[in-house]
């Protein structure tokens, strides 16, 4: 790590404005760090030439007094976001050679704000997974290791490359997508901050679709302030996504440092799972104590339908995925494997183009949507989803401002250690995060400590709809108390 890659995004922004260093120098420092960190497999595509050209343009704007809010800030973009002229594969073989002719709304807003593209980061294929192991480009290795061990640890998933890149100081921030926990779980596993905004806060246009009623994009950063800065530029109304809300984007950074005195923080009792590691319980208790010491009031609350969230999610998400992924048919774009006739071509293309986990989701999805099973599975799952949402609404109505839960049921596990024999073992990772997607609420994961093996643990704060500001304020209290966590460099 060199001096410029040790800065926070806010520090880099201020240093650029004061002309302490140039955007080209900042980009160069990160490009070098990326080159030296290829062992992590965090990037599936590096874009050094584009980065330097963008940085040069940033320097010109800084000199002309026309800097945007993210001017010259080097970022990594999850490979689920379309980037004009830059391959976007969703880390699937079926899109291995897909180069979009347009940018997603999120990325175009980031470039408009002055940010610099360093490259595209690795993720689980079509964002289906919790460990980055389903990627066509191979797993990501976390910069974190267990004490005294050199076993490769997963950064979590599906946004594993973004989380690892931020944690390893390869960029100042990164984008992620979160359908069931894919921002918050990898953030928790890598000691970084990750927020999934309220459904509708950030445009989904140009983001490769997984489950459209659950997908939401958000940032990864090393500090709460940095994530607030990034979200402001990512969020906003977009007529191209009809589920995107038309309301002004607050200056989230202003919420960082705001007092939490008098806030009522709910502690949902259903998140205390049988067999949960004592260290997770301990960190949760610690988080409660920190918020209490800062003046928040803690109240035990009940979200009685929590236990149905995971099974319902694994009906709704595959159902929507099976429909969204129908477009990859070898006709319009992506891979085409020739066949005897058109049906044979479809079948060969999809059989060869999709990996095992994606095929499994498509099969589950088509099954639960099929005539005869639709009412028993899909319809019921949607009804359960409404009940989950109502649980939260009742608590908020009773005066709860936000809730505090663990972000994950365990610390990060080793690559290849989980879900080999039974995929459900992997799905269980999402117990604390999927509820938030099912209810469409905002959730933030913030680092809170290290476990006995030296791996990061995160806490999750869940907020009222469109009240990301309270999450930033409360997460900042935890950050102040817990401090920052950095992986020892071995790569
Ligand atoms: N791990 C969950 C899944 O595999 C969530 C993934 C995500 O949020 N994209 O579906």
């Amino acid at each position: 790590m060199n001096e410029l890659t040790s800065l926070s995004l806010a520090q880099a922004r201020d240093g650029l404005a004061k002309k302490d260093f140039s955007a080209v120098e900042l980009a160069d420092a990160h490009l070098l760090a990326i080159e030296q960190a290829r062992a992590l497999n965090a990037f599936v595509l590096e874009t050094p030439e584009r980065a330097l050209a963008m940085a040069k343009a940033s320097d010109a704007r800084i000199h002309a007094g026309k800097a945007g809010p993210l001017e010259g800030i080097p970022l990594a973009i999850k490979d689920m976001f379309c980037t004009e002229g830059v391959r976007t594969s969703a880390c699937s073989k079926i899109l291995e050679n897909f180069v979009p002719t347009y940018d997603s709304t999120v990325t175009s807003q980031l470039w408009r704000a002055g940010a610099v593209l360093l490259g595209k980061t690795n993720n689980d294929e079509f964002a289906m997974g919790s460990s980055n192991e389903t990627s066509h480009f191979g797993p990501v290795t976390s910069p974190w290791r267990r004490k005294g061990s050199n076993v490769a640890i997963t950064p979590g998933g599906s946004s594993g490359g973004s989380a690892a890149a931020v944690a390893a100081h390869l960029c100042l921030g990164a984008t992620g997508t979160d359908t069931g926990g894919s921002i918050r779980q990898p953030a928790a596993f890598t000691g970084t901050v990750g927020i999934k905004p309220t459904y509708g806060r950030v445009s989904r246009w140009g983001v490769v679709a997984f489950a459209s009623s659950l997908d939401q994009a958000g940032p990864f950063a090393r500090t709460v302030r940095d994530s607030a800065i990034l979200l402001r530029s990512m969020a906003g109304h977009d007529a191209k996504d009809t589920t995107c809300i038309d309301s002004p984007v607050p200056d989230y950074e202003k919420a960082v440092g705001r007092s939490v005195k008098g806030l009522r923080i709910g502690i949902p009792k259903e998140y205390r799972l049988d067999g949960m590691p004592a260290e997770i319980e301990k960190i949760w208790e610690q988080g409660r104590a920190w918020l209490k010491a800062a003046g928040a009031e803690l109240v035990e609350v009940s979200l009685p339908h929590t236990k149905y969230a995971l099974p319902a999610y694994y009906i709704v998400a595959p159902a929507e995925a099976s429909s969204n992924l129908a477009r990859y048919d070898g006709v319009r774009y992506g891979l085409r494997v020739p066949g005897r006739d058109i049906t044979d071509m479809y079948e060969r293309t999809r059989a060869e183009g999709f990996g095992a986990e994606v095929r499994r989701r498509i099969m589950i999805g088509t099954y639960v949507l099929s005539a005869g099973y639709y009412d028993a599975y899909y319809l019921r799952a949607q009804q359960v989803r409404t009940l989950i949402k109502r649980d939260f609404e009742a608590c908020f109505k009773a005066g709860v401002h936000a809730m505090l839960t663990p972000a994950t049921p365990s610390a990060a596990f080793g690559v290849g250690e989980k879900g080999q024999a039974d995929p459900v073992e992997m799905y269980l990772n999402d117990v604390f995060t999927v509820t938030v997607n099912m209810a469409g609420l905002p959730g933030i994961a913030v680092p809170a400590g290290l476990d006995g093996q030296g791996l990061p643990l995160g806490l999750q704060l869940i907020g009222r709809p469109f009240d990301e500001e309270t999450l930033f304020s409360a997460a900042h209290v935890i950050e102040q108390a817990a401090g920052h966590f950095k992986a020892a460099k071995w790569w």
Side-chain angles (χ1 to χ4, degrees):
M1 197 172 70
N2 51 51
E3 216 183 305
L4 290 181
T5 59
S6 69
L7 301 175
S8 71
L9 190 154
Q11 287 168 335
R13 172 189 66 183
D14 300 344
L16 283 167
K18 282 194 293 181
K19 305 196 178 74
D20 289 346
F21 45 84
S22 70
V24 168
E25 285 166 335
L26 190 62
D28 256 332
H30 286 92
L31 290 170
L32 182 66
I34 292 171
E35 224 179 279
Q36 292 170 344
R38 295 213 175 109
L40 303 180
N41 201 24
F43 284 81
V44 292
L45 185 72
E46 297 169 17
T47 56
E49 280 119 43
R50 184 173 290 237
L52 290 174
M54 289 175 96
K56 225 171 135 188
S58 282
D59 281 330
R61 284 191 294 270
I62 291 167
H63 282 281
K66 287 186 185 140
L70 292 176
E71 201 62 71
I73 299 296
L75 300 179
I77 301 295
K78 186 179 184 182
D79 210 27
M80 296 290 284
F81 294 81
C82 283
T83 39
E84 186 184 347
V86 176
R87 188 192 66 183
T88 301
S89 72
C91 295
S92 178
K93 187 177 175 189
I94 215 156
L95 285 176
E96 199 173 21
N97 299 312
F98 176 58
V99 179
T101 52
Y102 56 86
D103 253 287
S104 69
T105 297
V106 165
T107 46
S108 64
Q109 287 182 181
L110 290 171
W111 314 144
R112 193 180 64 198
V116 167
L117 171 66
L118 291 169
K120 305 293 292 284
T121 50
N122 205 341
N123 53 253
D124 279 296
E125 185 180 1
F126 284 103
M128 297 172 190
S130 304
S131 64
N132 217 113
E133 289 166 288
T134 73
S135 167
H136 174 57
F137 300 105
V140 176
T141 304
S142 173
W144 289 89
R145 283 178 163 179
R146 293 180 184 125
K147 247 186 274 173
S149 151
N150 56 11
V151 167
I153 298 293
T154 156
S158 65
S159 316
S162 288
V166 170
H169 289 248
L170 311 184
C171 55
L172 289 172
T175 62
T177 58
D178 189 315
T179 305
S182 279
I183 293 175
R184 291 159 289 154
Q185 184 252 23
F189 277 11
T190 55
T192 57
V193 180
I195 178 165
K196 182 203 87 76
T198 313
Y199 186 78
R201 182 68 282 187
V202 174
S203 169
R204 291 179 294 106
W205 195 80
V207 181
V208 177
F210 167 6
S212 305
S213 75
L214 301 161
D215 297 345
Q216 193 63 198
F220 282 91
R222 287 190 293 270
T223 70
V224 173
R225 178 179 302 279
D226 291 356
S227 62
I229 294 170
L230 284 169
L231 182 59
R232 191 183 185 194
S233 290
M234 292 172 72
H237 180 239
D238 177 14
K240 295 201 286 277
D241 173 0
T242 52
T243 62
C244 192
I245 185 179
D246 189 1
S247 87
V249 180
D251 184 351
Y252 294 122
E253 197 180 354
K254 287 214 176 95
V256 180
R258 205 177 274 168
S259 166
V260 297
K261 215 171 236 142
L263 278 190
R264 286 166 68 94
I265 307 286
I267 308 298
K269 62 170 197 247
E270 290 79 7
Y271 283 60
R272 201 164 284 124
L273 298 181
D274 283 342
M276 192 159 83
E279 284 178 312
I280 301 284
E281 178 55 53
K282 217 173 96 200
I283 206 88
W284 193 11
E285 205 179 291
Q286 180 63 260
R288 298 200 284 269
W290 286 329
L291 287 169
K292 198 166 172 193
E297 187 193 334
L298 300 172
V299 284
E300 178 157 299
V301 298
S302 175
L303 300 166
H305 296 92
T306 299
K307 62 172 177 291
Y308 304 114
L310 200 64
Y313 169 86
Y314 275 98
I315 290 174
V316 174
E320 293 184 19
S322 71
S323 152
N324 273 326
L325 270 55
R327 74 189 73 179
Y328 306 107
D329 55 7
V331 176
R332 280 160 297 184
Y333 48 80
L335 180 78
R336 174 182 299 179
V337 181
R340 280 187 314 274
D341 51 31
I342 189 154
T343 309
D344 195 42
M345 185 279 284
Y346 287 160
E347 287 174 1
R348 283 169 190 265
T349 299
R350 289 169 65 81
E352 227 178 84
F354 291 133
E357 183 60 28
V358 174
R359 291 200 302 269
R360 175 165 29 237
R361 304 279 179 120
I362 292 172
M363 285 190 279
I364 295 172
T366 36
Y367 179 80
V368 299
L369 288 177
S370 58
Y373 294 107
Y374 183 91
D375 289 0
Y377 292 109
Y378 188 69
L379 203 67
R380 281 205 72 203
Q382 290 290 29
Q383 287 164 339
V384 168
R385 184 173 182 178
T386 304
L387 295 175
I388 292 165
K389 193 157 174 267
R390 277 196 204 145
D391 285 351
F392 281 103
E393 279 164 5
C395 293
F396 293 139
K397 219 188 224 153
V400 168
H401 296 101
M403 310 211 187
L404 180 75
T405 77
T408 56
S410 73
F413 41 91
V415 174
E417 273 177 16
K418 230 182 211 179
Q420 303 294 326
D422 180 5
V424 174
E425 196 190 7
M426 190 65 83
Y427 298 173
L428 288 172
N429 257 287
D430 308 324
V431 273
F432 298 143
T433 47
V434 288
T435 50
V436 178
N437 302 74
M438 292 295 264
L441 300 172
I444 192 168
V446 60
L450 300 178
D451 75 354
Q453 308 197 82
L455 295 178
L457 295 175
L459 287 170
Q460 172 177 238
L461 285 150
I462 305 169
R464 296 175 168 192
F466 300 102
D467 187 16
E468 283 78 7
E469 287 162 285
T470 296
L471 298 187
F472 286 125
S473 305
H476 186 245
V477 167
I478 292 172
E479 178 181 54
Q480 293 284 97
H484 294 279
F485 304 94
K486 207 164 118 200
K489 190 166 188 263
W490 53 263
W491 58 93

